[in-house]
Amino acid sequence: MTVGKEWTEQSIQRIIDGLEHKPGAMLPILHAIQNEIGYIPEKAVAQIAESLLQTRAEVHGVISFYHHFRTTPPGKHTIEICRAEACQAMGCRSLEAHAKQSLGIDYHQTTANRQFSLEPVYCLGNCATGPSIRIDDDIHGRVSLDRFDELVASHQQDMKEVG
């Protein structure tokens, strides 16, 4: 699961303090914050900028350049749809249209019930079995529209069993 975690300014500062001495520290800090919390909170931008003696605009520039970084908490599950050439040849465009319609969200968005976030990805290394998706850490190949719906339903079922 990729749930956004609680954080404090102190927890962000501990991450920054542990990495700010490294050359090119901004990317390791951003990765560490996102790995720990699930996204880069807006308030963290000021802390990172101040600690690295850079402007907030420079930090925002790095965050917005790399699509990997999120600025909002993710859903309970993150669904990534491979958009690389092999998956396109096997129908990922119709799969992504179906995913957007059935979830009611576009890429880089989270469902209203906060269960799913939808992200594009440009290769899952599963080219022989495209189209491929990843839900959290699990990669699924040969995903048809029906299989997508089954996978989403199974993860919704997980949520009912847990909560």
Side-chain angles (χ1 to χ4, degrees):
M1 288 188 193
T2 53
V3 179
K5 294 181 181 174
E6 295 295 320
W7 60 276
T8 63
E9 289 184 21
Q10 292 79 19
S11 65
I12 296 288
Q13 195 61 50
R14 276 194 298 276
I15 293 170
I16 295 170
D17 292 345
L19 296 168
E20 69 181 341
H21 66 282
K22 292 189 169 199
M26 189 178 309
L27 282 176
I29 289 170
L30 293 172
H31 280 287
I33 291 171
Q34 186 157 302
N35 287 343
E36 180 66 25
I37 299 168
Y39 69 105
I40 312 293
E42 179 63 31
K43 289 185 177 181
V45 172
Q47 285 182 262
I48 295 167
E50 183 175 318
S51 296
L52 298 180
L53 303 175
Q54 300 203 4
T55 66
R56 292 178 186 187
E58 289 171 314
V59 177
H60 274 293
V62 172
I63 292 170
S64 62
F65 181 80
Y66 294 103
H67 296 283
H68 170 74
F69 294 122
R70 302 182 55 86
T71 56
T72 57
K76 298 279 184 189
H77 300 284
T78 297
I79 300 172
E80 296 173 304
I81 298 178
C82 182
R83 300 182 76 202
E85 290 79 4
C87 283
Q88 284 188 37
M90 298 305 290
C92 81
R93 293 294 185 165
S94 63
L95 178 61
E96 68 184 2
H98 176 76
K100 289 176 182 179
Q101 182 178 11
S102 66
L103 295 172
I105 57 174
D106 204 338
Y107 283 130
H108 311 295
Q109 294 181 341
T110 300
T111 57
N113 63 7
R114 308 226 36 93
Q115 287 197 27
F116 297 100
S117 293
L118 185 63
E119 300 291 338
V121 65
Y122 292 93
C123 190
L124 291 171
N126 200 32
C127 302
T129 61
S132 297
I133 68 170
R134 179 170 43 206
I135 301 178
D136 302 327
D137 293 328
D138 298 324
I139 295 176
H140 305 273
R142 295 188 178 97
V143 178
S144 65
L145 306 185
D146 290 339
R147 180 69 179 135
F148 179 85
D149 292 340
E150 292 170 5
L151 290 166
V152 168
S154 72
H155 284 77
Q156 286 175 328
Q157 186 62 35
D158 290 347
M159 298 305 299
K160 291 176 185 172
E161 291 173 1
V162 171

